[in-house]
Amino acid sequence: MKQITFILLLVFSGSFIASAQDEYEDIPIEIFIIDSYATPESPHTFVLSFFTSVPAKSKLILDKVYEYNIATIYSERHTFGLPIENKKFSGKVVPFQIIVEDSVGNIVQSEEYDFELPYEPQLREDSNFLMLCLFGGIVFGLPMPGGVFHKDNSYFQLTKEIPLISLRGKSYNYPKGYFAIEYSYIFNAENRKFFRTGYKHIFEVPVIKYLSPGLNFFTNFFGYNGISPELSIGWFKILDTFTIFTRYRYNFQPNDSGRNFQEVSVGLYSNYFSFYL
C-alpha cells in the first residue's frame, strides 16, 4: 500500500512540475531598458543597462554587425560597457538589439533601439551613409505641404521648418525640445508670406513616436503679427533618422480675431542638422 501511495505521489509531483514548467515556458521574457547612451567624454563608451522579467543570459547585436556577450550566467540585471571610439559604424545614429535566453531555452530578441554618437564616426564600407546624406539633403530642402482654413475659405500652403537649436534630454531618440524658424507661403490668400520662430517640446509616448506641443510668434513683416500654438504627432521613422509627423496649428492676433486661421500639415522631422545644447 505504501509503495502504491509513493508511486501516486511521484506521478502527481511529476505532472505538477511538468505543468508548471509548461506554464513558465508560455510566459515571454520582458526586457526593460534602463540606460543606453554613448558617454560624451573621451574615451567614448557605449553604456547599456537593463532588467529582464526572469533570470536570463544576454548578448548585444550592435549596428547589425558586432555581437557581444553581456551576461553569461542567468541574471535579472544586465550591465555592459563597450569602448567604441575606434569602431566603424554605418552612421552617427547606431542601432542595436538585445537577445536574451532563459533557463528553459526560451529566446527573445528585442525591438531595435538606437543611440547617437557624440562624435563623427569612422564609416564602414558597407554603410548607407552616402545615401542617407543625399536623401537628407533632399528632405532638408523640401517644404511640408498643408491646408490653411480661414473663415469659409481654404488654401494650399507650403512651409519650410528648420530646427536650429535642440536641447538634450534623457532620451537619445529625440531631443527634449527644439527652437526652430519657419517660412510659409499660402497660395491665393490675401496674406501669403509668413515667418515664424518658436519652441516645440517633445514627449515620447508608446505606440507612436512622440507628441510635441509648441508655441510660435509669426509675422508677415507688414503689421500682421500674432501667436500660433500647435500640436505635432510623430508617427514612425524612416531610415532611422526621419520621423513622419502631422501638425495642427491655430494662428491668432490678440487684438483682431477676424484674421485668425488654422493649419493642418504633414512633414518629416529630423534633428540631424540641428545644433545641440
PDB file of all heavy atoms in Angstrom, residues 155-186:
ATOM      1  N   TYR A 155      -7.023  77.104 -48.304  1.00  0.00           N
ATOM      2  CA  TYR A 155      -5.913  77.380 -49.201  1.00  0.00           C
ATOM      3  C   TYR A 155      -4.853  76.284 -49.050  1.00  0.00           C
ATOM      4  O   TYR A 155      -4.768  75.609 -48.022  1.00  0.00           O
ATOM      5  CB  TYR A 155      -5.269  78.739 -48.879  1.00  0.00           C
ATOM      6  CG  TYR A 155      -6.240  79.886 -48.841  1.00  0.00           C
ATOM      7  CD1 TYR A 155      -6.817  80.286 -47.630  1.00  0.00           C
ATOM      8  CD2 TYR A 155      -6.578  80.580 -49.995  1.00  0.00           C
ATOM      9  CE1 TYR A 155      -7.703  81.343 -47.580  1.00  0.00           C
ATOM     10  CE2 TYR A 155      -7.468  81.649 -49.955  1.00  0.00           C
ATOM     11  CZ  TYR A 155      -8.034  82.022 -48.737  1.00  0.00           C
ATOM     12  OH  TYR A 155      -8.926  83.065 -48.694  1.00  0.00           O
ATOM     13  N   PHE A 156      -4.032  76.153 -50.081  1.00  0.00           N
ATOM     14  CA  PHE A 156      -2.899  75.235 -50.032  1.00  0.00           C
ATOM     15  C   PHE A 156      -1.666  76.008 -49.573  1.00  0.00           C
ATOM     16  O   PHE A 156      -1.432  77.145 -49.991  1.00  0.00           O
ATOM     17  CB  PHE A 156      -2.643  74.620 -51.408  1.00  0.00           C
ATOM     18  CG  PHE A 156      -1.457  73.700 -51.441  1.00  0.00           C
ATOM     19  CD1 PHE A 156      -1.490  72.466 -50.807  1.00  0.00           C
ATOM     20  CD2 PHE A 156      -0.287  74.072 -52.113  1.00  0.00           C
ATOM     21  CE1 PHE A 156      -0.391  71.606 -50.833  1.00  0.00           C
ATOM     22  CE2 PHE A 156       0.806  73.222 -52.155  1.00  0.00           C
ATOM     23  CZ  PHE A 156       0.747  71.985 -51.515  1.00  0.00           C
ATOM     24  N   GLN A 157      -0.854  75.371 -48.733  1.00  0.00           N
ATOM     25  CA  GLN A 157       0.302  76.040 -48.142  1.00  0.00           C
ATOM     26  C   GLN A 157       1.545  75.156 -48.214  1.00  0.00           C
ATOM     27  O   GLN A 157       1.467  73.931 -48.110  1.00  0.00           O
ATOM     28  CB  GLN A 157       0.014  76.355 -46.673  1.00  0.00           C
ATOM     29  CG  GLN A 157       1.209  76.882 -45.892  1.00  0.00           C
ATOM     30  CD  GLN A 157       0.892  77.093 -44.423  1.00  0.00           C
ATOM     31  OE1 GLN A 157       0.665  78.214 -43.997  1.00  0.00           O
ATOM     32  NE2 GLN A 157       0.848  76.022 -43.652  1.00  0.00           N
ATOM     33  N   LEU A 158       2.695  75.767 -48.389  1.00  0.00           N
ATOM     34  CA  LEU A 158       3.994  75.102 -48.268  1.00  0.00           C
ATOM     35  C   LEU A 158       4.783  75.790 -47.161  1.00  0.00           C
ATOM     36  O   LEU A 158       4.865  77.024 -47.136  1.00  0.00           O
ATOM     37  CB  LEU A 158       4.774  75.162 -49.575  1.00  0.00           C
ATOM     38  CG  LEU A 158       4.221  74.319 -50.738  1.00  0.00           C
ATOM     39  CD1 LEU A 158       5.032  74.568 -52.000  1.00  0.00           C
ATOM     40  CD2 LEU A 158       4.227  72.828 -50.385  1.00  0.00           C
ATOM     41  N   THR A 159       5.343  74.991 -46.268  1.00  0.00           N
ATOM     42  CA  THR A 159       6.095  75.517 -45.129  1.00  0.00           C
ATOM     43  C   THR A 159       7.444  74.818 -45.039  1.00  0.00           C
ATOM     44  O   THR A 159       7.536  73.602 -45.189  1.00  0.00           O
ATOM     45  CB  THR A 159       5.326  75.305 -43.814  1.00  0.00           C
ATOM     46  OG1 THR A 159       4.100  76.015 -43.868  1.00  0.00           O
ATOM     47  CG2 THR A 159       6.140  75.794 -42.624  1.00  0.00           C
ATOM     48  N   LYS A 160       8.476  75.597 -44.768  1.00  0.00           N
ATOM     49  CA  LYS A 160       9.797  75.031 -44.523  1.00  0.00           C
ATOM     50  C   LYS A 160      10.207  75.345 -43.089  1.00  0.00           C
ATOM     51  O   LYS A 160      10.333  76.511 -42.717  1.00  0.00           O
ATOM     52  CB  LYS A 160      10.827  75.596 -45.504  1.00  0.00           C
ATOM     53  CG  LYS A 160      12.213  74.996 -45.320  1.00  0.00           C
ATOM     54  CD  LYS A 160      12.197  73.497 -45.480  1.00  0.00           C
ATOM     55  CE  LYS A 160      13.314  72.814 -44.741  1.00  0.00           C
ATOM     56  NZ  LYS A 160      13.106  71.369 -44.641  1.00  0.00           N
ATOM     57  N   GLU A 161      10.401  74.282 -42.287  1.00  0.00           N
ATOM     58  CA  GLU A 161      10.834  74.438 -40.904  1.00  0.00           C
ATOM     59  C   GLU A 161      12.283  74.020 -40.779  1.00  0.00           C
ATOM     60  O   GLU A 161      12.687  72.981 -41.309  1.00  0.00           O
ATOM     61  CB  GLU A 161       9.974  73.584 -39.978  1.00  0.00           C
ATOM     62  CG  GLU A 161      10.424  73.615 -38.516  1.00  0.00           C
ATOM     63  CD  GLU A 161       9.654  72.650 -37.643  1.00  0.00           C
ATOM     64  OE1 GLU A 161      10.050  71.465 -37.574  1.00  0.00           O
ATOM     65  OE2 GLU A 161       8.655  73.080 -37.044  1.00  0.00           O
ATOM     66  N   ILE A 162      13.080  74.800 -40.069  1.00  0.00           N
ATOM     67  CA  ILE A 162      14.483  74.469 -39.813  1.00  0.00           C
ATOM     68  C   ILE A 162      14.705  74.430 -38.307  1.00  0.00           C
ATOM     69  O   ILE A 162      14.669  75.475 -37.646  1.00  0.00           O
ATOM     70  CB  ILE A 162      15.432  75.493 -40.457  1.00  0.00           C
ATOM     71  CG1 ILE A 162      15.194  75.572 -41.967  1.00  0.00           C
ATOM     72  CG2 ILE A 162      16.883  75.142 -40.161  1.00  0.00           C
ATOM     73  CD1 ILE A 162      16.034  76.611 -42.673  1.00  0.00           C
ATOM     74  N   PRO A 163      14.933  73.237 -37.723  1.00  0.00           N
ATOM     75  CA  PRO A 163      15.278  73.155 -36.306  1.00  0.00           C
ATOM     76  C   PRO A 163      16.704  73.685 -36.091  1.00  0.00           C
ATOM     77  O   PRO A 163      17.662  73.062 -36.543  1.00  0.00           O
ATOM     78  CB  PRO A 163      15.186  71.659 -35.985  1.00  0.00           C
ATOM     79  CG  PRO A 163      14.429  71.058 -37.129  1.00  0.00           C
ATOM     80  CD  PRO A 163      14.751  71.905 -38.309  1.00  0.00           C
ATOM     81  N   LEU A 164      16.830  74.803 -35.423  1.00  0.00           N
ATOM     82  CA  LEU A 164      18.145  75.415 -35.263  1.00  0.00           C
ATOM     83  C   LEU A 164      18.888  74.894 -34.042  1.00  0.00           C
ATOM     84  O   LEU A 164      20.051  74.507 -34.129  1.00  0.00           O
ATOM     85  CB  LEU A 164      18.002  76.943 -35.153  1.00  0.00           C
ATOM     86  CG  LEU A 164      17.554  77.685 -36.406  1.00  0.00           C
ATOM     87  CD1 LEU A 164      17.440  79.168 -36.105  1.00  0.00           C
ATOM     88  CD2 LEU A 164      18.533  77.454 -37.548  1.00  0.00           C
ATOM     89  N   ILE A 165      18.209  74.883 -32.895  1.00  0.00           N
ATOM     90  CA  ILE A 165      18.854  74.507 -31.633  1.00  0.00           C
ATOM     91  C   ILE A 165      18.014  73.436 -30.952  1.00  0.00           C
ATOM     92  O   ILE A 165      16.798  73.616 -30.754  1.00  0.00           O
ATOM     93  CB  ILE A 165      19.012  75.722 -30.703  1.00  0.00           C
ATOM     94  CG1 ILE A 165      19.875  76.793 -31.372  1.00  0.00           C
ATOM     95  CG2 ILE A 165      19.616  75.305 -29.368  1.00  0.00           C
ATOM     96  CD1 ILE A 165      19.974  78.080 -30.579  1.00  0.00           C
ATOM     97  N   SER A 166      18.630  72.318 -30.583  1.00  0.00           N
ATOM     98  CA  SER A 166      17.952  71.234 -29.873  1.00  0.00           C
ATOM     99  C   SER A 166      18.516  71.119 -28.465  1.00  0.00           C
ATOM    100  O   SER A 166      19.713  71.321 -28.240  1.00  0.00           O
ATOM    101  CB  SER A 166      18.132  69.902 -30.611  1.00  0.00           C
ATOM    102  OG  SER A 166      17.504  69.945 -31.887  1.00  0.00           O
ATOM    103  N   LEU A 167      17.640  70.781 -27.528  1.00  0.00           N
ATOM    104  CA  LEU A 167      18.029  70.633 -26.129  1.00  0.00           C
ATOM    105  C   LEU A 167      18.144  69.153 -25.787  1.00  0.00           C
ATOM    106  O   LEU A 167      17.196  68.395 -26.001  1.00  0.00           O
ATOM    107  CB  LEU A 167      16.995  71.302 -25.213  1.00  0.00           C
ATOM    108  CG  LEU A 167      16.692  72.775 -25.513  1.00  0.00           C
ATOM    109  CD1 LEU A 167      15.638  73.294 -24.546  1.00  0.00           C
ATOM    110  CD2 LEU A 167      17.958  73.623 -25.425  1.00  0.00           C
ATOM    111  N   ARG A 168      19.265  68.746 -25.254  1.00  0.00           N
ATOM    112  CA  ARG A 168      19.455  67.337 -24.903  1.00  0.00           C
ATOM    113  C   ARG A 168      18.558  66.957 -23.726  1.00  0.00           C
ATOM    114  O   ARG A 168      18.382  67.722 -22.787  1.00  0.00           O
ATOM    115  CB  ARG A 168      20.914  67.062 -24.534  1.00  0.00           C
ATOM    116  CG  ARG A 168      21.873  67.232 -25.689  1.00  0.00           C
ATOM    117  CD  ARG A 168      23.253  66.738 -25.313  1.00  0.00           C
ATOM    118  NE  ARG A 168      24.202  66.984 -26.382  1.00  0.00           N
ATOM    119  CZ  ARG A 168      24.390  66.172 -27.411  1.00  0.00           C
ATOM    120  NH1 ARG A 168      23.687  65.052 -27.491  1.00  0.00           N
ATOM    121  NH2 ARG A 168      25.272  66.463 -28.352  1.00  0.00           N
ATOM    122  N   GLY A 169      18.010  65.743 -23.817  1.00  0.00           N
ATOM    123  CA  GLY A 169      17.213  65.200 -22.724  1.00  0.00           C
ATOM    124  C   GLY A 169      17.749  63.856 -22.303  1.00  0.00           C
ATOM    125  O   GLY A 169      18.870  63.471 -22.641  1.00  0.00           O
ATOM    126  N   LYS A 170      16.942  63.088 -21.567  1.00  0.00           N
ATOM    127  CA  LYS A 170      17.355  61.765 -21.115  1.00  0.00           C
ATOM    128  C   LYS A 170      17.333  60.752 -22.262  1.00  0.00           C
ATOM    129  O   LYS A 170      18.051  59.773 -22.244  1.00  0.00           O
ATOM    130  CB  LYS A 170      16.445  61.287 -19.985  1.00  0.00           C
ATOM    131  CG  LYS A 170      16.553  62.139 -18.719  1.00  0.00           C
ATOM    132  CD  LYS A 170      15.647  61.600 -17.626  1.00  0.00           C
ATOM    133  CE  LYS A 170      15.778  62.436 -16.355  1.00  0.00           C
ATOM    134  NZ  LYS A 170      14.877  61.937 -15.286  1.00  0.00           N
ATOM    135  N   SER A 171      16.489  60.992 -23.261  1.00  0.00           N
ATOM    136  CA  SER A 171      16.367  60.065 -24.375  1.00  0.00           C
ATOM    137  C   SER A 171      17.393  60.386 -25.452  1.00  0.00           C
ATOM    138  O   SER A 171      17.743  61.550 -25.670  1.00  0.00           O
ATOM    139  CB  SER A 171      14.965  60.134 -24.977  1.00  0.00           C
ATOM    140  OG  SER A 171      14.896  59.406 -26.189  1.00  0.00           O
ATOM    141  N   TYR A 172      17.863  59.318 -26.128  1.00  0.00           N
ATOM    142  CA  TYR A 172      18.777  59.511 -27.250  1.00  0.00           C
ATOM    143  C   TYR A 172      18.067  59.335 -28.591  1.00  0.00           C
ATOM    144  O   TYR A 172      18.679  59.375 -29.637  1.00  0.00           O
ATOM    145  CB  TYR A 172      19.969  58.551 -27.134  1.00  0.00           C
ATOM    146  CG  TYR A 172      20.982  59.041 -26.142  1.00  0.00           C
ATOM    147  CD1 TYR A 172      20.779  58.849 -24.787  1.00  0.00           C
ATOM    148  CD2 TYR A 172      22.115  59.730 -26.540  1.00  0.00           C
ATOM    149  CE1 TYR A 172      21.700  59.320 -23.862  1.00  0.00           C
ATOM    150  CE2 TYR A 172      23.041  60.205 -25.642  1.00  0.00           C
ATOM    151  CZ  TYR A 172      22.833  59.990 -24.297  1.00  0.00           C
ATOM    152  OH  TYR A 172      23.740  60.464 -23.379  1.00  0.00           O
ATOM    153  N   ASN A 173      16.738  59.125 -28.537  1.00  0.00           N
ATOM    154  CA  ASN A 173      15.966  59.040 -29.771  1.00  0.00           C
ATOM    155  C   ASN A 173      15.578  60.419 -30.285  1.00  0.00           C
ATOM    156  O   ASN A 173      15.610  60.679 -31.489  1.00  0.00           O
ATOM    157  CB  ASN A 173      14.711  58.197 -29.544  1.00  0.00           C
ATOM    158  CG  ASN A 173      15.025  56.759 -29.235  1.00  0.00           C
ATOM    159  OD1 ASN A 173      15.890  56.163 -29.849  1.00  0.00           O
ATOM    160  ND2 ASN A 173      14.314  56.198 -28.271  1.00  0.00           N
ATOM    161  N   TYR A 174      15.185  61.297 -29.356  1.00  0.00           N
ATOM    162  CA  TYR A 174      14.761  62.650 -29.699  1.00  0.00           C
ATOM    163  C   TYR A 174      15.286  63.620 -28.647  1.00  0.00           C
ATOM    164  O   TYR A 174      15.533  63.234 -27.500  1.00  0.00           O
ATOM    165  CB  TYR A 174      13.230  62.751 -29.753  1.00  0.00           C
ATOM    166  CG  TYR A 174      12.598  61.912 -30.833  1.00  0.00           C
ATOM    167  CD1 TYR A 174      12.089  60.645 -30.545  1.00  0.00           C
ATOM    168  CD2 TYR A 174      12.509  62.369 -32.142  1.00  0.00           C
ATOM    169  CE1 TYR A 174      11.509  59.868 -31.527  1.00  0.00           C
ATOM    170  CE2 TYR A 174      11.932  61.599 -33.140  1.00  0.00           C
ATOM    171  CZ  TYR A 174      11.432  60.351 -32.817  1.00  0.00           C
ATOM    172  OH  TYR A 174      10.864  59.574 -33.796  1.00  0.00           O
ATOM    173  N   PRO A 175      15.446  64.897 -29.029  1.00  0.00           N
ATOM    174  CA  PRO A 175      15.817  65.886 -28.015  1.00  0.00           C
ATOM    175  C   PRO A 175      14.634  66.170 -27.085  1.00  0.00           C
ATOM    176  O   PRO A 175      13.503  65.768 -27.361  1.00  0.00           O
ATOM    177  CB  PRO A 175      16.172  67.118 -28.865  1.00  0.00           C
ATOM    178  CG  PRO A 175      15.346  66.967 -30.107  1.00  0.00           C
ATOM    179  CD  PRO A 175      15.296  65.483 -30.372  1.00  0.00           C
ATOM    180  N   LYS A 176      14.918  66.871 -26.005  1.00  0.00           N
ATOM    181  CA  LYS A 176      13.850  67.272 -25.086  1.00  0.00           C
ATOM    182  C   LYS A 176      12.923  68.291 -25.746  1.00  0.00           C
ATOM    183  O   LYS A 176      11.727  68.344 -25.483  1.00  0.00           O
ATOM    184  CB  LYS A 176      14.462  67.850 -23.809  1.00  0.00           C
ATOM    185  CG  LYS A 176      13.461  68.309 -22.772  1.00  0.00           C
ATOM    186  CD  LYS A 176      14.153  68.623 -21.449  1.00  0.00           C
ATOM    187  CE  LYS A 176      15.135  69.764 -21.598  1.00  0.00           C
ATOM    188  NZ  LYS A 176      15.723  70.158 -20.285  1.00  0.00           N
ATOM    189  N   GLY A 177      13.485  69.069 -26.639  1.00  0.00           N
ATOM    190  CA  GLY A 177      12.728  70.073 -27.385  1.00  0.00           C
ATOM    191  C   GLY A 177      13.668  70.805 -28.324  1.00  0.00           C
ATOM    192  O   GLY A 177      14.886  70.582 -28.297  1.00  0.00           O
ATOM    193  N   TYR A 178      13.119  71.695 -29.149  1.00  0.00           N
ATOM    194  CA  TYR A 178      13.991  72.425 -30.067  1.00  0.00           C
ATOM    195  C   TYR A 178      13.371  73.767 -30.455  1.00  0.00           C
ATOM    196  O   TYR A 178      12.151  73.959 -30.423  1.00  0.00           O
ATOM    197  CB  TYR A 178      14.275  71.602 -31.330  1.00  0.00           C
ATOM    198  CG  TYR A 178      13.081  71.291 -32.206  1.00  0.00           C
ATOM    199  CD1 TYR A 178      12.757  72.094 -33.300  1.00  0.00           C
ATOM    200  CD2 TYR A 178      12.273  70.182 -31.957  1.00  0.00           C
ATOM    201  CE1 TYR A 178      11.675  71.807 -34.114  1.00  0.00           C
ATOM    202  CE2 TYR A 178      11.196  69.887 -32.759  1.00  0.00           C
ATOM    203  CZ  TYR A 178      10.898  70.702 -33.837  1.00  0.00           C
ATOM    204  OH  TYR A 178       9.806  70.415 -34.634  1.00  0.00           O
ATOM    205  N   PHE A 179      14.267  74.716 -30.770  1.00  0.00           N
ATOM    206  CA  PHE A 179      13.874  76.025 -31.294  1.00  0.00           C
ATOM    207  C   PHE A 179      14.010  75.986 -32.812  1.00  0.00           C
ATOM    208  O   PHE A 179      14.997  75.470 -33.341  1.00  0.00           O
ATOM    209  CB  PHE A 179      14.757  77.125 -30.715  1.00  0.00           C
ATOM    210  CG  PHE A 179      14.593  77.310 -29.231  1.00  0.00           C
ATOM    211  CD1 PHE A 179      15.401  76.612 -28.349  1.00  0.00           C
ATOM    212  CD2 PHE A 179      13.627  78.171 -28.726  1.00  0.00           C
ATOM    213  CE1 PHE A 179      15.255  76.771 -26.980  1.00  0.00           C
ATOM    214  CE2 PHE A 179      13.479  78.335 -27.365  1.00  0.00           C
ATOM    215  CZ  PHE A 179      14.295  77.629 -26.482  1.00  0.00           C
ATOM    216  N   ALA A 180      13.019  76.541 -33.501  1.00  0.00           N
ATOM    217  CA  ALA A 180      13.011  76.463 -34.960  1.00  0.00           C
ATOM    218  C   ALA A 180      12.566  77.777 -35.565  1.00  0.00           C
ATOM    219  O   ALA A 180      11.910  78.605 -34.913  1.00  0.00           O
ATOM    220  CB  ALA A 180      12.084  75.337 -35.423  1.00  0.00           C
ATOM    221  N   ILE A 181      12.933  77.945 -36.823  1.00  0.00           N
ATOM    222  CA  ILE A 181      12.392  79.039 -37.637  1.00  0.00           C
ATOM    223  C   ILE A 181      11.627  78.425 -38.801  1.00  0.00           C
ATOM    224  O   ILE A 181      11.928  77.303 -39.224  1.00  0.00           O
ATOM    225  CB  ILE A 181      13.493  79.994 -38.143  1.00  0.00           C
ATOM    226  CG1 ILE A 181      14.528  79.241 -38.976  1.00  0.00           C
ATOM    227  CG2 ILE A 181      14.143  80.722 -36.987  1.00  0.00           C
ATOM    228  CD1 ILE A 181      15.550  80.156 -39.648  1.00  0.00           C
ATOM    229  N   GLU A 182      10.630  79.153 -39.322  1.00  0.00           N
ATOM    230  CA  GLU A 182       9.801  78.650 -40.418  1.00  0.00           C
ATOM    231  C   GLU A 182       9.479  79.770 -41.395  1.00  0.00           C
ATOM    232  O   GLU A 182       9.369  80.942 -41.018  1.00  0.00           O
ATOM    233  CB  GLU A 182       8.475  78.093 -39.884  1.00  0.00           C
ATOM    234  CG  GLU A 182       8.580  76.875 -39.013  1.00  0.00           C
ATOM    235  CD  GLU A 182       7.203  76.409 -38.568  1.00  0.00           C
ATOM    236  OE1 GLU A 182       6.266  76.380 -39.397  1.00  0.00           O
ATOM    237  OE2 GLU A 182       7.052  76.104 -37.378  1.00  0.00           O
ATOM    238  N   TYR A 183       9.301  79.343 -42.634  1.00  0.00           N
ATOM    239  CA  TYR A 183       8.768  80.254 -43.658  1.00  0.00           C
ATOM    240  C   TYR A 183       7.608  79.546 -44.346  1.00  0.00           C
ATOM    241  O   TYR A 183       7.735  78.391 -44.770  1.00  0.00           O
ATOM    242  CB  TYR A 183       9.836  80.623 -44.689  1.00  0.00           C
ATOM    243  CG  TYR A 183       9.303  81.480 -45.813  1.00  0.00           C
ATOM    244  CD1 TYR A 183       9.097  82.844 -45.628  1.00  0.00           C
ATOM    245  CD2 TYR A 183       8.985  80.921 -47.048  1.00  0.00           C
ATOM    246  CE1 TYR A 183       8.598  83.639 -46.656  1.00  0.00           C
ATOM    247  CE2 TYR A 183       8.487  81.702 -48.078  1.00  0.00           C
ATOM    248  CZ  TYR A 183       8.290  83.050 -47.874  1.00  0.00           C
ATOM    249  OH  TYR A 183       7.785  83.838 -48.883  1.00  0.00           O
ATOM    250  N   SER A 184       6.467  80.225 -44.447  1.00  0.00           N
ATOM    251  CA  SER A 184       5.267  79.647 -45.062  1.00  0.00           C
ATOM    252  C   SER A 184       4.796  80.523 -46.217  1.00  0.00           C
ATOM    253  O   SER A 184       4.839  81.755 -46.142  1.00  0.00           O
ATOM    254  CB  SER A 184       4.127  79.522 -44.039  1.00  0.00           C
ATOM    255  OG  SER A 184       4.476  78.650 -42.992  1.00  0.00           O
ATOM    256  N   TYR A 185       4.334  79.844 -47.260  1.00  0.00           N
ATOM    257  CA  TYR A 185       3.714  80.540 -48.389  1.00  0.00           C
ATOM    258  C   TYR A 185       2.328  79.939 -48.610  1.00  0.00           C
ATOM    259  O   TYR A 185       2.193  78.736 -48.837  1.00  0.00           O
ATOM    260  CB  TYR A 185       4.548  80.406 -49.662  1.00  0.00           C
ATOM    261  CG  TYR A 185       4.009  81.222 -50.817  1.00  0.00           C
ATOM    262  CD1 TYR A 185       4.372  82.554 -50.972  1.00  0.00           C
ATOM    263  CD2 TYR A 185       3.116  80.657 -51.735  1.00  0.00           C
ATOM    264  CE1 TYR A 185       3.866  83.313 -52.029  1.00  0.00           C
ATOM    265  CE2 TYR A 185       2.607  81.395 -52.787  1.00  0.00           C
ATOM    266  CZ  TYR A 185       2.980  82.729 -52.929  1.00  0.00           C
ATOM    267  OH  TYR A 185       2.472  83.474 -53.952  1.00  0.00           O
ATOM    268  N   ILE A 186       1.285  80.794 -48.527  1.00  0.00           N
ATOM    269  CA  ILE A 186      -0.105  80.365 -48.684  1.00  0.00           C
ATOM    270  C   ILE A 186      -0.586  80.818 -50.067  1.00  0.00           C
ATOM    271  O   ILE A 186      -0.667  82.025 -50.343  1.00  0.00           O
ATOM    272  CB  ILE A 186      -1.006  80.954 -47.592  1.00  0.00           C
ATOM    273  CG1 ILE A 186      -0.410  80.663 -46.203  1.00  0.00           C
ATOM    274  CG2 ILE A 186      -2.420  80.398 -47.695  1.00  0.00           C
ATOM    275  CD1 ILE A 186      -1.138  81.351 -45.068  1.00  0.00           C
TER     276      ILE A 186
END
